[in-house]
Amino acid sequence: MASEVFNYNGEHIEVSWDKNRCIHAKECVNNLPGVFDIKKKPWIQPDQASPDEVAKIIQRCPTGALLFKRLDDGSEEAIPAANTITLVENGPAYLEGNLVISNHEGTEIARETRAAFCRCGASQNKPYCDNSHLTDNFTCGVDFNPERLLLEATDETGNELHITLFPNAPFVVEGNYKLIGGDQQVNTEKKMSFCRCGGSMNKPFCDGSHKQIGFTTE
C-alpha cells in the first residue's frame, strides 16, 4: 500500500487527501462543491464552509482518502458504533467501523474508520481499491450465501473489527460486523475469508481460486 497525501489548511480545520486512496466516489464534490471543486486550485478550500459541514462530508468519503483534523474545539471523527462491509457491484468492498488492519504475522498496519478494499485483484495499491476494476472489466454481483454467516449470527456489530491480510491470499475478518449486499443484510461474528484475487466462484468469500490463478500480493 502506498500513500500520496496532500494537506489543505483552513482556519478551523485541516483536511488531508490521499491521492492513492481516492476512487472518485464524489461524495465530497457532489455534497459540498464550494469546498471540493476540482476546477479550482487548490481543489480543497476548507474555509468555504463551516468546519462542522466540512467534517460531516469528509466522513461520507467511503474510501478513507479524505480525513480531517479540527484546529478549534470541534469534535474529531468518532469511531462508528457498528462495523459494516458493503459490497459494491463490479467494484470494491467498503469497510466502515473500528477497523484494525494487520499482516499475517500479527503486526498492526493501520487503524481506520473507512476503507475501500480491492476485490478484482488488479489494484496497484492493495489492499485498497484504485479503480483498476474499471479498466480490468471486473464483473461481480453483490449477492452472497447468508447461510455461511447465520451459524454465528449476532445482534452486536461494534467493537474492533480485525482484518488480516495474507500474502497471495484473501483477507480474513474477525469480529462483529454487518455484511451488506444489495437488499441482503446479515449481522454476524463469523470469521470469514474474503476473496481479493477476483477469481472466486463464491464471491465475496474465498474459495481457494487464488492458488489456481497465481494471485500475488504482499
Side-chain angles (χ1 to χ4, degrees):
M1 63 182 73
S3 297
E4 189 174 355
V5 179
F6 299 86
N7 295 314
Y8 304 85
N9 293 325
E11 183 178 358
H12 300 292
I13 191 169
E14 177 184 294
V15 178
S16 66
W17 173 60
D18 188 339
K19 181 179 179 181
N20 291 340
R21 293 275 295 270
C22 182
I23 60 173
H24 311 295
K26 297 183 179 180
E27 289 288 342
C28 56
V29 298
N30 287 341
N31 290 289
L32 204 57
V35 173
F36 303 94
D37 188 343
I38 59 174
K39 297 179 181 178
K40 293 182 179 179
K41 290 186 179 181
W43 80 277
I44 300 177
Q45 300 188 25
D47 288 337
Q48 296 303 308
S50 73
D52 287 341
E53 289 178 294
V54 175
K56 178 182 178 180
I57 294 304
I58 286 176
Q59 291 175 85
R60 293 179 62 171
C61 171
T63 67
L66 287 171
L67 299 172
F68 69 89
K69 178 180 179 181
R70 295 299 290 257
L71 305 177
D72 54 13
D73 58 356
S75 300
E76 300 293 347
E77 181 171 355
I79 295 174
N83 302 312
T84 59
I85 301 175
T86 303
L87 306 174
V88 177
E89 187 170 6
N90 304 328
Y94 288 149
L95 284 71
E96 182 178 18
N98 192 354
L99 313 177
V100 182
I101 303 172
S102 305
N103 65 20
H104 68 291
E105 296 177 333
T107 301
E108 185 176 306
I109 298 171
R111 285 181 176 261
E112 313 252 8
T113 57
R114 295 169 280 118
F117 269 27
C118 171
R119 294 205 297 150
C120 72
S123 173
Q124 297 300 302
N125 193 34
K126 298 182 187 72
Y128 303 116
C129 172
D130 69 355
N131 265 348
S132 289
H133 56 275
L134 299 177
T135 55
D136 202 49
N137 296 318
F138 177 64
T139 58
C140 178
V142 296
D143 295 335
F144 59 89
N145 180 2
E147 293 182 0
R148 295 286 303 275
L149 303 170
L150 292 175
L151 294 176
E152 296 184 38
T154 179
D155 292 330
E156 299 292 333
T157 54
N159 302 314
E160 291 183 346
L161 185 65
H162 292 268
I163 300 133
T164 304
L165 307 174
F166 286 88
N168 310 325
F171 67 89
V172 175
V173 173
E174 296 179 81
N176 302 318
Y177 60 98
K178 176 183 288 185
L179 181 61
I180 303 171
D183 295 331
Q184 291 179 288
Q185 297 188 14
V186 174
N187 289 350
T188 186
E189 58 182 3
K190 187 171 184 181
K191 179 179 179 180
M192 289 297 294
S193 298
F194 284 78
C195 173
R196 61 182 184 132
C197 73
S200 174
M201 299 303 292
N202 191 33
K203 298 182 185 73
F205 310 122
C206 172
D207 69 354
S209 291
H210 55 276
K211 299 176 182 178
Q212 282 71 45
I213 66 177
F215 176 65
T216 58
T217 184
E218 294 181 359

